[in-house]
Amino acid sequence: MAIVKNDSVIENEWVTLDDESSIPESGTNVLVSLGRFKAERDSLIARNGGLGVLLVPGDAPEDLAEDIDRFSLIAVKFPAYTDGRGYSYGRVLRERYGYAGEMRAVGDVLRDQILYMHRCGFDAYELSDDDETALEKVRAALRDMTVYYQPTGDGRATAGSLRDRRRAVLDDATS
Amino acid sequence: MYRYDDFDRQLLAERTAQFRDQVARRISGELTEDQFKPLRLMNGVYLQLHAYMLRVAVPYGTMNGEQMRKLGYIARTYDKGYGHFTTRQNIQYNWPKLNEIPDALADLATVEMHAIQTSGNCIRNTTTDQYAGAAADEIEDPRPYCELIRQWSTFHPEFTYLPRKFKIAVTGSPNDRAAVRVHDIGLRMHKNDAGETGFEVIVGGGLGRTPFVGKTVRDFIGKNDLFSYLEAILRVYNRFGRRDNKYKARIKILVHEVGVDEIRRLVEEEWSKIRDGSLRVSDDEIAQYIAQFAPPAFEELQANDPEFERRKQAHPDFAAWVRSNVIAHKQPGYAIANISLKPIGGIPGDATADQMELVGDLADQYSFGDVRVTHEQNLVLPHVKKADLFALWAELNSALLATANLGFVTDIIACPGLDYCALATARSIPLSQRISERFGDLERQYDIGELKIKISGCINACGHHHVGHIGILGLDKRGKEFYQITLGGDASQDASIGKIAGAGFSEAEVVDAIEALITRYIDIRTVGERFIDTYRRVGMDPFKEVLYGDR
Amino acid sequence: MSLQVVTANRLDDGLAVFMTADDGWSTDLRDAVCAEDAPQAEALMARADTEKQQVTVVGPYLIDVAQEDGVLVPTKYREVLRTLGPSVRTDLGYQAG
């Protein structure tokens, strides 16, 4: 298992809590389910230490909107790579609610889906590979394409915007 | 026609390399079949009964002559000399080798063609009116919007792992030749009260196991807002479409289960948040795309060509072909020529490499290099001078491409069925061949009039049987093929889903059953009534009677 | 129980193949290794569905076959077609020779 973020393998500094286990002392970063966050919101945001939420398919990212700046990790679970709901969650969180912390894809995260995840706002990927393989896979995936048709929140220029820019330059040159 | 620019070409080159790498990783064992399957499907590679199958996209059914010739080259080089045009206006090859598919795709890329999203749970090839830009009844050419949809939907990062496949169709004409009411999203161009052209948005139509005619979620969406609106629909579907059962995963089931009002509420709410975002398309950008599809350099001609009229007098076969396969063009002196891929007794939609190359040449010679694929598995040369029709017909005729049966009883849609398909429960093609032979006589066909027979070899309904005037569904009953007949389906602007007539028929009985239905129709029709009109007037009972008597 | 053999499609060219006694694959059903009862069939499938076989074939499964005049033939029409080729193109597939 390895987590790749910003072109390197990172340590997991988060403790994933199930809904029953007690919340550790301050200082520890905890990752809780959306259900637990909603049930224990006040105590969770009052404690010291990083707060993260794990979204699973079926959860509503809208439930995080009010508190979006309190999270330093949102993990989105892909129980099977064929379940694409997490892509929408990623875009809603980044593009609608302006989430700026780490957004980590967990679960069945495979090399050939990483570019799509990245375009939907993910910046960390948990792969079931050794460190070196995971890093190589993420690097290769992000190199696959350089032309994109759709505008998303990832900031990449689309083919359409590049065409516009080129037309503007040509128009300037001829006017 | 749209021509790729350097961005499109770069994207395709990268995609071609990416798939080559995916195939290599599969063959080396790095990818398991489970991991590879969605990747190959996303690139149109199926595993069928006898071999792999490669489905190549023909975006909105439009090609140039060079592209058509390349399809012939692919058939000859990587397959067994033929291909099969599909109801999604695509083409599929039945015998490619996996380890050669990357080379075939590289060859296709040289003419700006590919297999992107011809399968998989993503947005599939957008289809439209095969007469776009030529039809006399058109409000506006839908192809610029189809091209914009193509770009928006190609490798859409959010919508590549949808609950199920997703199909969009567009019509620019009130006479719907694109079956928009039986698509996941159907877009019908029309003018609003202010005189602006926009789209009616129809959602949740579809065939398959549970057929539905789509419902209107919005009467009018302006062109600038089309893409944000599509994105809103797709996001609602991606989030809320069922994923627990693949047979209930299409958007039609969601629409059916929660109701169109709730879908509309969800879509409008989502759209209200993104409508002013970066998907809004400017008038300027739309104009760029409209310019790409500017009409070809038509000559100023008289509406009638005397030589053309003389040829019709002198050659009854030519006259018959004109009568059935040639359609009015918006430009005086021009016509739309349909090329039937339904020779009597032949395999619907199949074309040989030689035929494809010939059609490519004829497109260049007679139709401004423009050739179309229809969802009824035929081809079209959309811009032919009337004065050239005879020469065109003579060339088509010599290549067995001039069957004069467009829209008639032998112009049958049939899926590949059990002869090729791994999912099929019965054969479709042999049945279509026998029906075609039974009704092969042209005079008899013309007497019967417009009649759409559609045959599927399993309940997935790739042969569109639910919307056939007469639909036939092939099933397996204790190891034997048998066929269920539906009546009253219609894919046009008056869309309806056919009703099951009753118990199925054995392979030996079914052609007689079809003939009995047609005989009954001829007996009871009134002047000018098509089969579907008669059915609508009299209902199922008179037809049931000839099928089952007192049974 | 009917006799059974394991069939699959070959990874590189996709052609229908049948598992042989040495865990290899043949395009000819007559070369196939036969299971006579459920435990044997299960054992055959286990040999066909390994990680190693995955780089040779795709989607192995059991089919029912019968001896007819001393030759193995599939009992289901779908599988008969796979041993022959499309019924509408007798010039193609194994039936073409």
Side-chain angles (χ1 to χ4, degrees):
Chain A
M1 203 72 105
I3 302 166
V4 178
K5 183 183 178 183
N6 293 337
D7 204 36
S8 49
V9 175
I10 59 166
E11 290 299 314
N12 186 18
E13 294 167 342
W14 293 80
V15 175
T16 305
L17 298 182
D18 61 35
D19 287 355
E20 279 76 43
S21 53
S22 62
I23 292 174
E25 294 300 305
S26 63
T28 312
N29 298 326
V30 295
L31 181 68
V32 299
S33 71
L34 178 65
R36 185 157 194 182
F37 170 73
K38 290 198 310 194
E40 298 171 40
R41 174 186 177 276
D42 293 348
S43 61
L44 281 167
I45 63 180
R47 71 183 282 281
N48 276 318
L51 176 58
V53 168
L54 173 68
L55 292 183
V56 299
D59 284 348
E62 288 79 4
D63 290 346
L64 302 179
E66 295 293 309
D67 297 298
I68 200 77
D69 293 332
R70 299 182 193 277
F71 306 110
S72 25
L73 172 68
I74 297 177
V76 177
K77 175 99 175 185
F78 291 82
Y81 65 87
T82 48
D83 190 330
R85 283 175 278 191
Y87 297 100
S88 288
Y89 301 164
R91 290 194 66 194
V92 167
L93 291 167
R94 286 279 194 233
E95 297 172 35
R96 184 161 305 157
Y97 302 124
Y99 174 63
E102 177 178 326
M103 193 151 72
R104 184 186 296 178
V106 302
D108 198 11
V109 178
L110 302 175
R111 181 232 183 275
D112 292 282
Q113 283 80 49
I114 286 168
L115 179 59
Y116 296 124
M117 290 171 174
H118 190 257
R119 295 222 62 209
C120 289
F122 290 87
D123 60 353
Y125 315 92
E126 186 179 273
L127 281 77
S128 60
D129 293 295
D130 62 67
D131 287 4
E132 199 181 330
T133 310
L135 184 58
E136 181 42 47
K137 281 186 178 178
V138 173
R139 283 178 173 165
L142 296 180
R143 274 198 311 260
D144 267 354
M145 309 294 284
T146 63
V147 179
Y148 310 95
Y149 285 134
Q150 307 78 12
T152 69
D154 70 350
R156 287 181 161 90
T158 62
S161 68
L162 293 170
R163 287 170 183 142
D164 283 348
R165 217 177 290 168
R166 183 160 62 189
R167 258 198 308 275
V169 171
L170 290 174
D171 287 352
D172 279 354
T174 53
S175 62
Chain B
M1 284 165 76
Y2 184 77
R3 291 309 303 251
Y4 274 21
D5 66 7
D6 46 344
F7 297 111
D8 300 304
R9 276 192 295 270
Q10 176 71 18
L11 180 136
L12 186 49
E14 289 171 355
R15 173 54 179 160
T16 307
Q18 182 187 42
F19 190 67
R20 190 183 286 280
D21 175 58
Q22 288 169 346
V23 169
R25 281 188 280 140
R26 173 67 184 98
I27 287 175
S28 76
E30 184 185 329
L31 288 173
T32 65
E33 183 60 21
D34 280 352
Q35 291 167 345
F36 179 62
K37 189 175 173 185
L39 303 178
R40 68 168 159 80
L41 287 178
M42 214 78 80
N43 211 40
V45 180
Y46 286 73
L47 194 53
Q48 294 287 42
L49 280 192
H50 312 293
Y52 287 102
M53 183 266 274
L54 173 67
R55 184 180 293 150
V56 174
V58 181
Y60 37 96
T62 296
M63 278 183 287
N64 61 37
E66 185 189 17
Q67 290 173 321
M68 190 65 164
R69 284 190 293 274
K70 186 63 84 178
L71 294 182
Y73 171 83
I74 298 290
R76 184 176 291 115
T77 310
Y78 299 100
D79 209 87
K80 295 181 187 280
Y82 69 109
H84 176 75
F85 288 96
T86 77
T87 56
R88 200 113 214 102
Q89 299 179 311
N90 291 324
I91 182 170
Q92 54 201 38
Y93 297 101
N94 296 302
W95 305 91
K97 298 181 170 73
L98 180 64
N99 48 18
E100 292 182 3
I101 287 175
D103 292 337
L105 292 170
D107 282 340
L108 285 165
T110 63
V111 295
E112 305 170 0
M113 295 189 88
H114 56 76
I116 295 168
Q117 289 170 220
T118 53
S119 179
N121 292 335
C122 49
I123 304 170
R124 302 288 188 87
N125 185 31
T126 296
T127 49
T128 192
D129 186 352
Q130 63 270 19
Y131 306 146
D137 58 9
E138 185 169 87
I139 295 163
E140 193 179 317
D141 187 344
R143 290 174 301 164
Y145 308 97
C146 293
E147 172 56 28
L148 281 159
I149 294 172
R150 179 192 75 78
Q151 296 191 22
W152 164 77
S153 61
T154 297
F155 302 132
H156 196 300
E158 188 179 347
F159 306 134
T160 298
Y161 293 92
L162 295 167
R164 200 75 179 83
K165 59 187 166 185
F166 203 92
K167 300 177 178 179
I168 302 175
V170 191
T171 176
S173 162
N175 297 306
D176 178 8
R177 289 172 287 258
V180 303
R181 289 183 190 278
V182 286
H183 277 76
D184 295 289
I185 294 179
L187 298 172
R188 182 181 71 84
M189 296 190 86
H190 67 115
K191 287 192 193 305
N192 67 5
D193 294 341
E196 301 155 335
T197 306
F199 302 86
E200 178 190 358
V201 183
I202 301 154
V203 170
L207 302 175
R209 301 175 181 235
T210 326
F212 284 108
V213 173
K215 306 203 170 47
T216 301
V217 287
R218 201 169 222 280
D219 288 324
F220 188 89
I221 190 85
K223 297 166 179 178
N224 314 87
D225 292 322
L226 177 64
F227 298 91
S228 54
Y229 203 79
L230 291 176
E231 186 133 312
I233 296 171
L234 265 296
R235 184 169 289 163
V236 166
Y237 172 55
N238 189 42
R239 287 187 57 179
F240 302 113
R242 284 181 62 172
R243 289 174 187 265
D244 57 326
N245 177 340
K246 90 179 252 208
Y247 301 115
K248 296 182 191 260
R250 296 287 289 270
I251 195 173
K252 63 191 174 186
I253 303 293
L254 181 66
V255 173
H256 180 69
E257 287 183 350
V258 309
V260 68
D261 293 333
E262 175 65 5
I263 293 293
R264 184 181 299 118
R265 189 189 68 74
L266 289 167
V267 169
E268 293 282 331
E269 187 185 331
E270 180 62 37
W271 184 55
S272 71
K273 293 171 184 149
I274 61 174
R275 59 179 294 180
D276 297 320
S278 43
L279 277 171
R280 200 180 153 78
V281 181
S282 68
D283 289 341
D284 187 43
E285 192 172 358
I286 291 171
Q288 302 281 345
Y289 282 85
I290 290 176
Q292 295 258 17
F293 292 93
F298 292 124
E299 294 170 38
E300 296 288 330
L301 299 170
Q302 296 295 317
N304 290 313
D305 182 82
E307 183 60 20
F308 166 64
E309 299 300 331
R310 270 197 298 279
R311 294 285 196 183
K312 278 199 293 186
Q313 293 291 333
H315 299 271
D317 289 352
F318 174 57
W321 180 76
V322 169
R323 179 176 150 192
S324 61
N325 290 35
V326 174
I327 287 173
H329 197 284
K330 64 182 181 184
Q331 180 74 18
Y334 284 82
I336 300 170
N338 287 275
I339 301 171
S340 170
L341 295 181
K342 318 289 175 64
I344 301 307
I347 298 176
D350 273 16
T352 66
D354 290 346
Q355 287 176 325
M356 289 185 241
E357 286 167 348
L358 174 68
V359 171
D361 289 343
L362 294 174
D364 283 348
Q365 194 174 351
Y366 296 117
S367 184
F368 297 94
D370 195 339
V371 56
R372 313 286 174 82
V373 184
T374 83
H375 89 270
E376 293 180 320
Q377 304 181 280
N378 293 312
L379 302 174
V380 177
L381 298 182
H383 308 300
V384 183
K385 264 193 267 186
K386 281 185 178 172
D388 289 337
L389 280 170
F390 182 75
L392 170 65
W393 171 79
E395 295 225 42
L396 289 172
N397 201 29
S398 67
L400 305 176
L401 288 169
T403 312
N405 61 347
L406 194 86
F408 292 101
V409 58
T410 60
D411 184 8
I412 297 168
I413 291 184
C415 72
L418 193 54
D419 280 301
Y420 292 99
C421 178
L423 299 173
T425 43
R427 290 174 299 162
S428 314
I429 297 168
L431 185 54
S432 76
Q433 290 174 307
R434 286 209 306 285
I435 295 170
S436 174
E437 282 157 1
R438 179 74 63 96
F439 296 98
D441 179 71
L442 278 184
E443 285 313 313
R444 188 176 183 199
Q445 291 191 51
Y446 300 159
D447 177 48
I448 296 165
E450 181 189 304
L451 176 48
K452 301 201 184 252
I453 295 182
K454 308 191 184 199
I455 309 174
S456 304
C458 80
I459 51 178
N460 293 312
C462 296
H464 294 188
H465 66 278
H466 296 300
V467 289
H469 298 168
I470 298 175
I472 303 173
L473 166 62
L475 295 165
D476 175 286
K477 192 178 186 181
R478 289 188 288 279
K480 290 262 184 290
E481 295 164 300
F482 86 110
Y483 297 89
Q484 199 172 63
I485 293 177
T486 56
L487 297 176
D490 185 354
S492 77
Q493 60 278 7
D494 307 313
S496 56
I497 303 296
K499 290 201 170 54
I500 296 170
F505 295 89
S506 74
E507 192 194 346
E509 298 164 334
V510 66
V511 182
D512 289 337
I514 301 298
E515 187 162 30
L517 289 169
I518 291 173
T519 304
R520 171 54 56 100
Y521 150 70
I522 288 172
D523 288 345
I524 63 178
R525 70 182 170 188
T526 61
V527 175
E529 249 182 8
R530 300 170 302 160
F531 180 92
I532 183 74
D533 304 322
T534 303
Y535 172 84
R536 283 178 174 152
R537 176 170 57 81
V538 304
M540 180 69 87
D541 287 346
F543 293 104
K544 234 174 148 154
E545 201 179 276
V546 295
L547 290 180
Y548 304 106
D550 295 332
R551 266 202 280 166
Chain C
M1 193 194 93
S2 149
L3 295 176
Q4 291 193 310
V5 302
V6 178
T7 187
N9 290 75
R10 208 151 53 189
L11 175 65
D12 57 357
D13 61 10
L15 295 184
V17 287
F18 305 91
M19 194 167 83
T20 57
D22 59 357
D23 295 0
W25 299 86
S26 169
T27 54
D28 190 337
L29 175 59
R30 287 172 297 189
D31 300 335
V33 55
C34 233
E36 292 175 8
D37 56 29
Q40 282 186 17
E42 202 177 315
L44 276 190
M45 263 310 286
R47 282 157 56 189
D49 201 11
T50 64
E51 206 170 302
K52 188 154 169 275
Q53 292 283 18
Q54 274 233 3
V55 293
T56 310
V57 293
V58 180
Y61 62 98
L62 289 161
I63 58 167
D64 292 349
V65 294
Q67 291 277 358
E68 262 179 35
D69 304 327
V71 180
L72 287 179
V73 289
T75 51
K76 283 221 171 66
Y77 186 60
R78 177 186 197 272
E79 298 304 327
V80 172
L81 281 175
R82 286 180 77 244
T83 63
L84 295 175
S87 72
V88 293
R89 288 295 302 264
T90 50
D91 57 324
L92 301 177
Y94 297 143
Q95 63 199 347

